[in-house]
């Protein structure tokens, strides 16, 4: 998971239950959030838009930047042009259920990633969705998408802080989480 995001309770239980019953190498899962539940009111976000097969397994992840909330749902904004995107799409919020051998795979790939950087490149990122997508495409892994209707929130923009503070307060007041945590 990412340290700067709130994911909700449902998805943690789903990932736990999956991992408790699937321990095979390359048998992974991810919480499949609904895009519309992961958008900021304050600007564009990047999300791993998922392609899901008939069997409920991930067939691909497309890291998509510039996703904005619109009056009709969501759109990808590029060069001032908005292209609608299905707000009901599954997206990765980097909540993966991985087994210990994945760390070896990640480390080996990271060495290759570092070796491929050009002098002075300080912006490239070693993205989990990209690594996992490569493993899916090569047949090294299968990833079950566990649909969650939890509402994500996080501080992508400074303006998001009040939204997050109020959402956490509402969770405390509704009994969703005890005070203090």
């Amino acid at each position: 998971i990412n340290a700067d995001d709130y994911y909700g309770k449902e998805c943690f239980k789903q990932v736990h239950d999956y991992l408790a019953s699937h321990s095979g190498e390359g048998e992974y899962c991810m919480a499949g959030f609904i895009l519309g539940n992961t958008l900021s009111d304050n600007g564009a976000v990047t999300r791993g838009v998922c392609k899901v097969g008939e069997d409920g397994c991930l067939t691909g992840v497309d890291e998509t930047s510039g996703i904005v909330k619109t009056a009709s749902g969501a759109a990808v904004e590029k060069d001032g042009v908005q292209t609608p995107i299905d707000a009901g799409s599954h997206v990765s919020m980097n909540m993966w259920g991985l087994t210990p051998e994945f760390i070896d795979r990640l480390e080996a790939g990271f060495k290759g990633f570092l070796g491929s950087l050009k002098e002075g490149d300080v912006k490239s990122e070693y993205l989990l969705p990209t690594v996992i997508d490569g493993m899916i495409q090569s047949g090294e892994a299968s990833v079950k998408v566990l649909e969650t209707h939890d509402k994500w929130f996080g501080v992508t923009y400074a303006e998001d802080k009040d939204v997050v503070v109020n959402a956490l307060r509402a969770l405390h007041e509704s009994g969703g989480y005890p005070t203090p945590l």
Side-chain angles (χ1 to χ4, degrees):
I1 63 172
N2 294 339
D4 61 346
D5 293 319
Y6 171 85
Y7 290 99
K9 287 182 179 181
E10 175 191 356
C11 53
F12 278 98
K13 181 171 181 354
Q14 289 178 315
V15 170
H16 167 271
D17 292 350
Y18 181 89
L19 290 174
S21 62
H22 295 80
S23 60
E25 188 170 325
E27 284 187 86
Y28 307 138
C29 67
M30 66 154 249
F33 284 80
I34 305 303
L35 175 60
N37 290 340
T38 71
L39 300 174
S40 171
D41 290 327
N42 298 303
V45 296
T46 298
R47 298 291 180 253
V49 179
C50 300
K51 297 175 192 90
V52 183
E54 296 282 325
D55 60 356
C57 287
L58 192 62
T59 61
V61 182
D62 181 19
E63 279 296 300
T64 305
S65 59
I67 302 174
V68 295
K69 186 183 278 190
T70 65
S72 60
V76 176
E77 189 170 79
K78 185 174 182 180
D79 300 325
V81 176
Q82 289 188 349
T83 305
I85 184 172
D86 182 3
S89 299
H90 289 102
V91 294
S92 163
M93 293 299 298
N94 273 335
M95 184 174 205
W96 300 96
L98 306 165
T99 54
E101 85 284 343
F102 178 76
I103 298 299
D104 296 332
R105 166 71 172 168
L106 196 61
E107 182 179 8
F110 189 60
K111 290 174 185 173
F113 167 77
L114 290 175
S116 71
L117 292 176
K118 293 185 169 101
E119 176 98 18
D121 182 354
V122 296
K123 297 237 179 207
S124 291
E125 295 181 78
Y126 188 57
L127 301 170
L128 279 175
T130 303
V131 172
I132 293 169
D133 185 61
M135 292 177 73
I136 292 168
Q137 302 315 316
S138 69
E140 297 173 76
S142 66
V143 179
K144 185 73 171 173
V145 176
L146 308 173
E147 183 173 282
T148 179
H149 294 278
D150 283 333
K151 182 164 178 17
W152 164 92
F153 51 87
V155 181
T156 303
Y157 299 96
E159 297 84 0
D160 292 333
K161 179 183 174 191
D162 288 339
V163 173
V164 171
V165 168
N166 291 331
L168 287 171
R169 183 177 295 118
L171 284 170
H172 288 294
E173 290 170 358
S174 71
Y177 284 99
T179 303
L181 281 175

